Amino acid sequence: MSQETCACPKCECKVTDQSPEANEKWYCCQACADGHADGSKGCGHNCNCG
């Protein structure tokens, strides 16, 4: 994994080797990986990326 930050466009959270992956990109949480499809506004890391 060479990516250091979440692939969610407005998110600047860090990713780890435990982070969820979708479409060959890494995300800080499942909400970001799902594209905030549930309508969530944040990722649970004090971030309003949704």
Side-chain angles (χ1 to χ4, degrees):
M1 175 183 63
S2 60
Q3 179 184 325
E4 292 186 20
T5 56
C6 184
C8 183
K10 296 180 186 175
C11 190
E12 296 181 2
C13 295
K14 301 286 184 193
V15 295
T16 69
D17 58 354
Q18 303 297 313
S19 297
E21 180 185 5
N23 301 318
E24 299 180 18
K25 295 179 182 176
W26 294 90
Y27 297 85
C28 69
C29 66
Q30 195 60 49
C32 287
D34 293 339
H36 297 277
D38 63 355
S40 64
K41 296 292 181 197
C43 61
H45 304 118
N46 297 320
C47 178
N48 290 317
C49 55

